[in-house]
Amino acid sequence: MCHFSDCCACFVIRLDMWLMAATDCLEYFPDQLIVITGEHLSQQCADEKQRMNMQKRLLFDTISKYYSQERDPLLTDRYFDIHMGIMELFEKDKGHQAFEASQLCLRLLEPNVRDELRRLLAFMAVAAEPEGYRLQKQYDNSSVVCRTFQKAIVHNKSMSKTKTDQLVLFLMENHTELFKTPVSLIETVTKQLQTLQQGRDPDTTAAFTFCQQLTVEQYEEQRELATMKQLQQLIQDLTQNTTLPVKEKKRLMKEFEKHHPVIFLKHLSSGF
């Protein structure tokens, strides 16, 4: 891969943050496009401010044109359910959980895709600054940037435009922190490693549980109570059933007494 910094660093020596973020994006572009862009950036202009504005316009147009091509979004539909879950967390004012979920979701991406997304979001954040280079006269920079690169980041017809806008804006505004490993994950891994080093079973200190953990004794106790409750309900329903023929009801009652004598006696003693 041709590195943009090697091709035209001499033409943009005095890079500001805007230009640095833009040139960082070009690292994933085709070599030919990088060379052509470098040649255009080398054009001289007497006025320094005008020269930088021309460079910014050229770079923005180049980047936007590249990401406007038909291609899979960087956040693929494979994790669509996760994206929707993150937005639901925001709607429920669970910002901290949504933030950590976003960090974990980004860790699922392929390394090169994650890095490309990081570079693009960093450029978007700089280009969206209201006091920066004005991209369009009739719209603010943030609106232009989000609208231009939205489909390159996430594009799913099942997600409403409002939620898509919110997700892209959230990613752009928090890009510096979102690509860091969640503190909770680091703590969890550390604890699990310590558990292994101490020779203990890591499953006994599971970091993530999706139901209440029970001992074998607790499970057996709950199982017996639940079974008894269901059997009591069954004999009661059988006794109160008025649609069954008398002969059939007697037969079923005898079968119940044969297999569950204790519960049957309790039922009789309760005076049903």
Side-chain angles (χ1 to χ4, degrees), residues 28-212:
Y28 280 94
F29 285 27
D31 292 349
Q32 185 178 2
L33 182 57
I34 294 176
V35 173
I36 293 173
T37 303
E39 290 175 349
H40 287 146
L41 287 174
S42 66
Q43 295 177 3
Q44 300 297 320
C45 183
D47 183 79
E48 177 70 11
K49 184 177 180 180
Q50 185 180 359
R51 182 182 67 83
M52 292 191 70
N53 286 341
M54 288 177 58
Q55 290 178 341
K56 289 178 180 180
R57 171 49 59 187
L58 172 65
L59 287 168
F60 185 83
D61 288 347
T62 300
I63 295 171
S64 61
K65 184 177 180 180
Y66 175 75
Y67 282 109
S68 295
Q69 301 176 89
E70 284 295 325
R71 48 177 287 154
D72 292 332
L74 294 170
L75 293 180
T76 64
D77 291 345
R78 180 180 180 185
Y79 303 117
F80 175 71
D81 290 342
I82 299 178
H83 305 154
M84 291 298 294
I86 291 171
M87 299 312 299
E88 288 178 10
L89 287 172
F90 276 118
E91 292 173 356
K92 295 177 181 178
D93 293 326
K94 297 182 178 180
H96 180 71
Q97 291 94 321
F99 196 90
E100 284 206 342
S102 300
Q103 288 180 311
L104 291 171
C105 182
L106 292 176
R107 300 298 298 180
L108 296 175
L109 300 176
E110 293 294 329
N112 61 313
V113 175
R114 184 169 62 249
D115 186 54
E116 183 178 358
L117 177 61
R118 179 190 62 77
R119 292 169 186 256
L120 177 58
L121 289 172
F123 168 66
M124 289 171 61
V126 175
E129 292 179 357
E131 303 303 322
Y133 172 69
R134 193 65 182 265
L135 299 171
Q136 291 183 14
K137 292 182 179 180
Q138 62 271 44
Y139 300 107
D140 63 273
N141 285 345
S142 182
S143 298
V144 175
V145 167
C146 288
R147 184 176 66 250
T148 301
F149 299 106
Q150 185 183 90
K151 290 184 178 181
I153 295 175
V154 57
H155 182 54
N156 190 298
K157 294 180 180 179
S158 299
M159 182 181 285
S160 68
K161 184 180 183 305
T162 301
K163 287 188 175 181
T164 303
D165 291 341
Q166 291 173 345
L167 179 60
V168 172
L169 186 62
F170 164 72
L171 293 171
M172 182 181 73
E173 293 180 343
N174 297 278
H175 71 96
T176 55
E177 296 297 322
L178 284 174
F179 288 90
K180 295 180 180 179
T181 303
V183 175
S184 60
L185 180 60
I186 295 175
E187 292 175 347
T188 296
V189 173
T190 301
K191 289 179 181 178
Q192 293 294 84
L193 288 174
Q194 290 175 345
T195 300
L196 288 171
Q197 290 172 349
Q198 294 168 1
R200 295 185 289 124
D201 184 359
D203 291 337
T204 60
T205 57
F208 304 101
T209 56
F210 300 94
C211 59
Q212 183 181 1

